[in-house]
Amino acid sequence: MTYKFTIIVPVYNEEDNLERVETELSNYLKIAKVTSSVLFVNDGSSDNSQALIEAICERNEAFNYISFKQNRGLSAAIKAGFDYVDSELVGYIDSDLQTTPEDFNILLDHIDTHELVTGVRSNRKDSFVKNMSSKIANGIRRTFTHDGMDDTGCPLKVIKTDYAKRIPMFKGLHRFLPAMILLQKGRIIQVPVQHFPRMAGTANFGLWNRLFGPLMDCFAYLWMKKKYINYEVEKSSK
């Protein structure tokens, strides 16, 4: 079967969540607005995640996986997914399922007129510290990028694949995906989505990852923006 949309699921030590991920995504594929598949990217998990992923993919035709030799971080996992897929559209969702796959349909409603559609988590079910650090980090990022996005850390996005493949990823750049689409003269929009408490497993991001790390990444983004190469081919012999 040819799929129009591939959902990337980055995984790092999420063995307690994966059966629920299988159930939720299997249910979503039945109601998806376009033909959709799932790609697990195992980011060097040290628990039983890989064995569970292989079992899930064995019993679900629309599920596939790639697995890293070593842990390389969320940006690397997302980048590998972008590189691997060949569908027209690509998106991702975190394996903790604090967002719901059903909301991909809300994002897909806008993808015809935009190159990236990102969720913005309404009524977030996180701790006060996590919410405040995220709000501060997003404010800092907007100051640097002028992307107008309120919640680039929301783990629910849909992107046109040809734009996603042109993003030169580095560590932390998953927070700058809307800004990187803007550098390609693409159109972006944010849409409210649901948010839920984490049901199992442990969050892999602390205060440094949410606040101080993104501040340092802003300077890397500014350097990349200055050096970024963007071109359009007007004519070709092929």
Side-chain angles (χ1 to χ4, degrees):
M1 178 182 290
T2 300
Y3 298 103
K4 183 173 182 177
F5 179 40
T6 303
I7 301 168
I8 298 168
V9 185
V11 176
Y12 180 63
N13 292 345
E14 292 283 2
E15 61 181 3
D16 294 332
N17 279 314
L18 286 173
E19 288 188 1
R20 192 164 71 95
V21 170
E22 176 186 14
T23 299
E24 293 288 330
L25 284 171
S26 295
N27 290 338
Y28 171 69
L29 296 187
K30 298 173 185 176
I31 63 168
K33 290 197 169 184
V34 297
T35 53
S36 304
S37 65
V38 175
L39 175 66
F40 288 108
V41 181
N42 182 12
D43 183 21
S45 296
S46 57
D47 63 359
N48 197 42
S49 291
Q50 181 59 29
L52 290 171
I53 288 170
E54 291 183 22
I56 290 169
C57 293
E58 181 67 26
R59 57 181 176 256
N60 293 279
E61 181 182 359
F63 285 61
N64 295 283
Y65 73 87
I66 55 178
S67 182
F68 289 176
K69 288 184 177 180
Q70 297 172 305
N71 175 245
R72 294 301 184 190
L74 180 57
S75 290
I78 294 171
K79 169 63 172 170
F82 289 170
D83 290 343
Y84 190 86
V85 304
D86 57 8
S87 54
E88 178 183 337
L89 303 173
V90 62
Y92 73 86
I93 187 171
D94 277 357
S95 49
D96 61 17
L97 289 184
Q98 287 193 256
T99 51
T100 175
E102 292 181 7
D103 283 348
F104 274 124
N105 281 348
I106 299 174
L107 274 57
L108 287 166
D109 281 339
H110 301 271
I111 197 62
D112 286 345
T113 53
H114 298 85
E115 279 61 59
L116 176 145
V117 186
T118 182
V120 55
R121 292 166 285 190
S122 56
N123 193 20
R124 286 185 64 173
K125 308 298 184 183
D126 287 323
S127 68
F128 174 80
V129 172
K130 185 174 181 180
N131 282 336
M132 286 305 298
S133 60
S134 177
K135 182 176 290 189
I136 294 169
N138 274 299
I140 294 170
R141 190 211 68 259
R142 281 196 306 271
T143 300
F144 279 80
T145 65
H146 305 288
D147 61 11
M149 299 289 102
D150 296 314
D151 186 17
T152 60
C154 178
L156 201 72
K157 290 179 173 62
V158 177
I159 311 173
K160 290 179 179 174
T161 302
D162 55 344
Y163 281 76
K165 287 182 179 292
R166 290 196 293 266
I167 295 174
M169 294 285 274
F170 59 81
K171 287 184 179 180
L173 194 62
H174 61 274
R175 304 179 185 95
F176 294 82
L177 293 180
M180 296 307 298
I181 297 300
L182 287 178
L183 286 184
Q184 299 180 51
K185 309 301 181 185
R187 299 159 295 178
I188 63 176
I189 190 174
Q190 58 183 4
V191 181
V193 297
Q194 302 172 81
H195 191 244
F196 305 92
R198 175 182 268 270
M199 301 295 292
T202 303
N204 297 311
F205 290 89
L207 183 61
W208 173 264
N209 305 92
R210 297 192 190 100
L211 187 54
F212 300 110
L215 176 59
M216 297 299 101
D217 294 338
C218 284
F219 293 100
Y221 166 78
L222 290 180
W223 177 88
M224 181 174 292
K225 181 179 180 179
K226 183 177 180 180
K227 302 292 184 179
Y228 188 74
I229 296 173
N230 193 34
Y231 64 89
E232 295 180 60
V233 175
E234 182 178 12
K235 292 182 179 180
S236 172
S237 62
K238 292 185 179 181

